[in-house]
Amino acid sequence: MKYCYFDSPLGQLLLTGNTLLESLHFPKGKTRVEPEEDWVYTEDIFKKALVQLDAYFKGERTIFDIDLKLDGTLFQKKVWQQLVGIPYGQTISYGELAKRIGNPCASRAVGMANGKNPISIIVPCHRVIGKNGSLTGFGGGLEVKKNLLELEKRYKKKML
């Protein structure tokens, strides 16, 4: 496995992959990961992701264009594909996401798939919130989710 770090306003993000980006981890929260001894530090395969993450955090990029390796079930991949379609600076509920994948009764399963998203920010699972507008579960912690949503809201206003 190859890895590198990206210094973000949220702390140091860990990017991993073999030939393509496979995961992005936050410095805190339940999905936090540390590199293993046999992992190799390199920025080579992550250059495009690093440039685009930098532009995202500066409010200069609203959509990512990076080749990814997403490992998951067919259901998870279907959910993750829908996440990419949520516009920058907007949010939807888990129920709405379930409707978009054609299974309106699957909001709980959608929430579980959302929580398994290995490439947060780039596959924007932070844009999914509770039906009452509340911030719910996020692998990097609710404070990180709040900060990402506020960042997008702030830059979206500047773009208008």
Side-chain angles (χ1 to χ4, degrees):
M1 180 69 70
K2 297 173 183 163
Y3 75 99
C4 76
Y5 291 103
F6 175 78
D7 290 321
S8 82
L10 307 170
Q12 207 171 48
L13 304 178
L14 174 66
L15 287 72
T16 71
N18 283 304
T19 58
L20 298 173
L21 180 62
E22 295 180 32
S23 68
L24 185 153
H25 301 277
F26 295 100
K28 297 179 183 175
K30 64 183 177 185
T31 60
R32 181 178 181 273
V33 170
E34 288 290 328
E36 296 181 18
E37 282 186 31
D38 61 338
W39 290 11
V40 176
Y41 185 91
T42 181
E43 294 182 2
D44 290 349
I45 67 167
F46 306 111
K47 285 181 181 176
K48 193 171 183 181
L50 295 171
V51 168
Q52 291 187 23
L53 283 166
D54 186 55
Y56 169 83
F57 282 107
K58 290 177 178 175
E60 299 167 354
R61 176 171 284 278
T62 61
I63 298 171
F64 291 92
D65 178 26
I66 301 167
D67 291 329
L68 307 171
K69 182 177 183 224
L70 287 165
D71 285 329
T73 67
L74 288 175
F75 181 81
Q76 288 170 335
K77 289 178 182 181
K78 193 173 184 180
V79 170
W80 300 338
Q81 286 173 333
Q82 287 299 312
L83 293 176
V84 175
I86 303 169
Y88 180 88
Q90 294 183 25
T91 58
I92 66 169
S93 69
Y94 292 96
E96 176 60 30
L97 186 54
K99 287 178 194 171
R100 289 185 184 185
I101 65 162
N103 196 342
C105 296
S107 59
R108 185 173 290 243
V110 161
M112 296 294 288
N114 200 48
K116 296 286 187 186
N117 170 21
I119 309 177
S120 296
I121 302 174
I122 294 167
V123 178
C125 54
H126 61 279
R127 296 179 187 155
V128 184
I129 60 174
K131 69 178 176 182
N132 63 358
S134 63
L135 298 186
T136 59
F138 189 68
L142 291 182
E143 190 64 26
V144 168
K145 184 172 188 168
K146 178 182 172 191
N147 288 336
L148 287 169
L149 292 173
E150 287 174 353
L151 174 133
E152 291 185 8
K153 185 177 179 181
R154 181 174 65 247
Y155 285 125
K156 186 176 179 184
K157 283 182 182 178
K158 290 181 180 182
M159 292 174 195
L160 299 176

